[in-house]
């Protein structure tokens, strides 16, 4: 057979095969840095999230040597990587997480990155293989026939619940929809009511007029107003910290961005306090930290706020309706707890301003962020260059 073989004539054998084109490798997409990659977010992770999770773990017995965590991990799983290395590995414990991320859905845009990240995290010494990420909106767990509810209730109660929201917790109108953050919290707290030891709620939310529904603010302001009228220490602290001393000044405060921030955060925490106190047995609640920063650079206030709240179950007896028993329950001092909430909220730290004045700490956050980003396959040289601008 000649060198031309079966394809005699001009040209090669391959020339006569139709549909064969040039093969091109699929190049990875350029990875762009996101708002949650900024040094200020790492400050929140380290100085609030990791710090208070670590404090909790050092004070309570750890079931099965495992930290149980409910949250909203991004495609890069940066928070989980951080908790694993900074919190779990030094204590030789595992991290079992239930996460909600739309990228876990089939054919989702971020599914590939999420799958790669899950594979990387699964190789960590702190990873619990029972961990899962669901492709659902976490608000779906209010439906007790949903997979979201089944998984949430099956794994819970949790040591840590981290609701790191991009939008506002109070943005929806209350009482009009089933799948709201309000109903979700109520449902989550029903799971946490089984808890016998303290646990931590981390909540990050937008604040301000554009991110808090008017009716939600009105109802939370109602809780604030009750304490102004009935709790002298609360009224004194409110007057000193926020210049809100009565119903009139409370209404005036709701006209400014700073006032809305204060009333919303205090009112929201008081709402959590009332829900926890309604458990049987009741739980007390304390705000451990409040940190804020600006999403919009020209915002007059820190319009994104992260608060760390610790719930402490009590073992108080219930009230006997027939008075057959002689032991009387000790009521929770709501006035005292609400006053402490207000004082903690009033000491909110503006992380942007803090890192601007503390350059060494900002640089430390940049390097810690680089460690996380490098593990997630980002160009850390480019990150450092952008942060130096």
């Amino acid at each position: 057979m000649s060198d031309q073989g079966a394809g005699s004539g001009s040209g090669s054998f391959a020339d006569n095969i139709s549909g064969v084109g040039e093969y091109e490798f699929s190049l990875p997409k350029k990875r762009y840095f996101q708002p949650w990659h900024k040094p200020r977010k790492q400050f929140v992770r380290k100085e609030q999230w990791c710090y208070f999770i670590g404090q909790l773990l050092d004070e309570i017995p750890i079931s099965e040597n495992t930290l149980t965590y409910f949250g909203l991990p991004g495609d890069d799983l940066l928070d989980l990587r951080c908790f694993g290395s900074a919190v779990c590995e030094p204590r030789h414990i595992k991290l079992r997480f239930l996460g909600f991320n739309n990228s876990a859905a089939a054919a989702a845009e971020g599914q590939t990155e999420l799958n790669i990240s899950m594979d990387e995290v699964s190789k960590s010494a702190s990873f619990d293989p029972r961990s899962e990420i669901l492709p659902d909106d976490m608000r779906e767990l209010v439906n007790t026939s949903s997979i979201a509810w089944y998984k949430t209730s099956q794994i819970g109660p949790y040591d840590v619940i981290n609701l790191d929201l991009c939008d506002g917790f109070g943005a929806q109108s209350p009482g009009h929809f089933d799948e709201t953050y309000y109903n979700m919290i109520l449902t989550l707290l029903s799971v946490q009511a089984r808890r016998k030891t303290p646990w931590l709620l981390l909540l990050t939310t937008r604040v301000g007029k554009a991110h808090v529904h008017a009716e939600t603010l009105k109802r939370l302001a109602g809780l604030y107003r009750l304490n102004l009228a009935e709790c002298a220490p609360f009224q004194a602290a409110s007057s000193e910290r926020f210049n809100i001393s009565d119903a009139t000044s409370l209404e005036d405060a709701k006209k400014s961005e700073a006032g809305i921030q204060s009333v919303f955060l205090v009112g929201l925490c008081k709402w959590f306090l009332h829900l926890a106190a309604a458990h049987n047995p009741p739980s007390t609640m304390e705000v451990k930290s409040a940190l804020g920063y600006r999403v919009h650079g020209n915002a007059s206030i820190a319009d994104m706020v992260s608060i760390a709240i610790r719930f402490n179950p009590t073992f108080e007896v219930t009230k006997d309706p027939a008075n057959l028993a002689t032991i009387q329950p000790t009521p929770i001092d709501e006035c005292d707890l609400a006053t402490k909430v207000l004082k903690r909220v009033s000491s909110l730290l503006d992380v942007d301003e803090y890192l601007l004045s503390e350059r060494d700490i900002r640089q430390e956050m940049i390097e810690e962020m680089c460690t996380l980003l490098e593990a997630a396959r980002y160009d850390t040289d480019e990150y450092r260059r952008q942060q130096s601008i």
Side-chain angles (χ1 to χ4, degrees):
M1 184 178 291
S2 70
D3 290 340
Q4 286 182 311
S8 60
S10 63
S12 68
F13 174 74
D15 290 337
N16 296 320
I17 301 177
S18 63
V20 175
E22 183 180 353
Y23 181 80
E24 296 182 359
F25 289 97
S26 177
L27 297 176
K29 293 182 179 179
K30 179 176 176 59
R31 313 205 69 199
Y32 295 97
F33 299 114
Q34 303 297 330
W36 50 90
H37 295 155
K38 292 185 177 181
R40 66 192 187 189
K41 189 66 175 186
Q42 180 57 20
F43 183 89
V44 173
R45 285 190 192 97
K46 179 180 181 180
E47 300 298 334
Q48 187 185 77
W49 297 358
C50 288
Y51 178 82
F52 288 107
I53 292 174
Q55 186 181 80
L56 177 74
L57 294 179
D58 293 340
E59 294 178 12
I60 66 171
I62 306 300
S63 177
E64 300 180 358
N65 211 35
T66 300
L67 168 65
T68 53
Y69 173 90
F70 176 104
L72 300 168
D75 297 347
D76 301 322
L77 306 184
L78 297 182
D79 299 339
L80 301 179
R81 295 176 197 265
C82 186
F83 298 148
S85 61
V87 177
C88 295
E89 287 182 17
R91 293 170 174 80
H92 306 290
I93 64 176
K94 300 286 187 180
L95 173 63
R96 182 184 184 186
F97 55 84
L98 177 65
F100 290 80
N101 185 327
N102 292 334
S103 291
E109 182 179 352
Q111 187 187 48
T112 299
E113 292 298 337
L114 179 59
N115 288 343
I116 294 173
S117 295
M118 278 292 287
D119 180 66
E120 291 167 341
V121 169
S122 69
K123 296 171 183 175
S124 165
S126 61
F127 176 80
D128 187 308
R130 296 173 296 174
S131 299
E132 289 186 76
I133 295 182
L134 303 180
D136 305 297
D137 186 313
M138 65 176 174
R139 285 170 287 194
E140 293 178 19
L141 67 87
V142 303
N143 178 0
T144 55
S145 62
S146 67
I147 293 295
W149 163 251
Y150 173 75
K151 292 291 186 180
T152 299
S153 59
Q154 179 191 49
I155 298 171
Y158 301 87
D159 298 308
V160 179
I161 292 177
N162 187 0
L163 306 180
D164 187 12
L165 307 177
C166 295
D167 54 354
F169 180 88
Q172 283 183 280
S173 171
H176 287 81
F177 306 97
D178 290 333
E179 294 182 0
T180 62
Y181 290 133
Y182 319 126
N183 287 334
M184 181 205 64
I185 278 290
L186 210 62
T187 307
L188 272 176
L189 288 180
S190 74
V191 174
Q192 295 301 104
R194 310 198 304 257
R195 200 57 202 185
K196 293 181 173 61
T197 54
W199 62 278
L200 199 64
L201 171 65
L202 306 171
L203 173 63
T204 304
T205 177
R206 297 291 298 274
V207 298
K209 185 176 182 180
H211 305 287
V212 179
H213 194 279
E215 181 61 25
T216 297
L217 184 62
K218 177 182 177 181
R219 297 188 188 188
L220 294 179
L223 299 179
Y224 197 118
R225 187 181 301 106
L226 284 175
N227 278 114
L228 285 177
E230 301 174 359
C231 176
F234 181 95
Q235 192 269 349
S238 176
S239 180
E240 176 188 352
R241 307 293 177 99
F242 298 136
N243 200 30
I244 300 174
S245 57
D246 53 25
T248 300
S249 53
L250 177 63
E251 287 303 308
D252 289 339
K254 290 163 55 181
K255 299 174 184 177
S256 71
E257 290 293 316
I260 290 173
Q261 180 200 67
S262 302
V263 173
F264 171 68
L265 292 176
V266 173
L268 182 61
C269 290
K270 278 178 50 60
W271 182 62
F272 288 144
L273 175 58
H274 282 280
L275 294 178
H279 286 169
N280 187 17
S283 290
T284 61
M285 188 210 85
E286 54 182 323
V287 177
K288 305 296 290 186
S289 166
L291 303 176
Y293 49 87
R294 287 166 176 78
V295 175
H296 291 294
N298 60 351
S300 61
I301 59 165
D303 57 350
M304 182 73 88
V305 174
S306 178
I307 52 178
I309 302 174
R310 176 163 162 160
F311 291 84
N312 301 298
T314 70
F315 297 94
E316 290 293 337
V317 297
T318 189
K319 180 173 177 57
D320 178 5
N323 293 320
L324 299 178
T326 58
I327 301 176
Q328 296 296 316
T330 303
I332 289 177
D333 190 342
E334 196 275 346
C335 173
D336 177 63
L337 294 177
T339 303
K340 290 177 179 176
V341 163
L342 184 144
K343 290 180 178 179
R344 183 67 70 183
V345 168
S346 72
S347 63
L348 183 147
L349 175 68
D350 187 319
V351 179
D352 289 326
E353 292 183 357
Y354 179 75
L355 293 182
L356 200 60
S357 64
E358 300 292 338
R359 306 296 294 181
D360 290 345
I361 295 178
R362 183 178 187 277
Q363 190 59 41
E364 181 183 338
M365 296 303 105
I366 290 174
E367 291 307 314
E368 290 184 6
M369 197 67 243
C370 282
T371 299
L372 292 175
L373 290 172
E374 184 176 27
R377 307 167 309 286
Y378 283 85
D379 183 346
T380 53
D381 289 337
E382 175 63 15
Y383 179 78
R384 289 187 180 93
R385 188 190 71 79
Q386 289 190 18
Q387 295 305 318
S388 66
I389 296 175

